Amino acid sequence: MKLTILTADATQSDPSGKVHALGLGWSWTVTPTPPMSVVVFVDPEPDTDHIGVFVVRVQLWSADGNPVQFEGAPMDFVLTANIVDLRARAAAGITLGPGLPLPPGRYFWHAELLGKGVIADTAFNVQQGVEPEVAEKSTDGIEVA
């Protein structure tokens, strides 16, 4: 099997197994983070894999390869991939609300297909949030940014 993991701004799964994604594949964000999503694709290999339900563990890791801790626990998710046809991929998504206080630096979403030893990573960078510019008043009283 093959795993692919991508970042997105938003995702929504539907009953047919599709994942709808907006803003797919970004690699830079700010802190605190805006809403974000992670999309995982599981592609079976028809010659070696079998039909069934597979478990994918997704974790947020820092650049040094350690799980990121929030309130004493790792950012850790478990997804299931239901392979019903060896010629078709399975997809799943995770959506996180805004406000993760990640210090500036490099991070990875790390996915592992449990029991298979198959892994995938996608990296992204966090930079300090940019303060909005303050509008200045011109001499004619019109605000300009």
Side-chain angles (χ1 to χ4, degrees):
M1 289 203 179
K2 178 183 173 191
L3 279 180
T4 304
I5 184 168
L6 298 168
T7 55
D9 291 337
T11 61
Q12 182 177 2
S13 298
D14 73 18
S16 73
K18 288 191 286 184
V19 173
H20 306 272
L22 296 172
L24 191 63
W26 53 262
S27 60
W28 286 92
T29 192
V30 297
T31 190
T33 61
M36 75 168 79
S37 294
V38 179
V39 180
V40 177
F41 297 103
V42 180
D43 292 294
E45 296 189 23
D47 296 337
T48 59
D49 292 321
H50 62 279
I51 291 172
V53 176
F54 299 89
V55 178
V56 180
R57 181 179 189 187
V58 178
Q59 291 183 308
L60 179 60
W61 285 6
S62 59
D64 60 8
N66 292 313
V68 173
Q69 301 283 319
F70 285 100
E71 299 178 4
M75 174 93 38
D76 197 346
F77 303 92
V78 175
L79 303 172
T80 56
N82 189 11
I83 303 295
V84 296
D85 182 334
L86 293 178
R87 297 164 294 167
R89 80 175 6 153
I94 301 164
T95 299
L96 302 166
L100 290 178
L102 295 174
R106 189 164 177 81
Y107 296 87
F108 296 87
W109 283 107
H110 175 79
E112 179 181 358
L113 189 61
L114 298 179
K116 292 282 193 176
V118 177
I119 61 170
D121 295 304
T122 190
F124 66 97
N125 294 290
V126 174
Q127 61 188 16
Q128 191 63 44
V130 178
E131 296 292 322
E133 287 188 33
V134 177
E136 300 173 12
K137 273 202 173 174
S138 67
T139 55
D140 60 3
I142 298 173
E143 290 187 4
V144 293

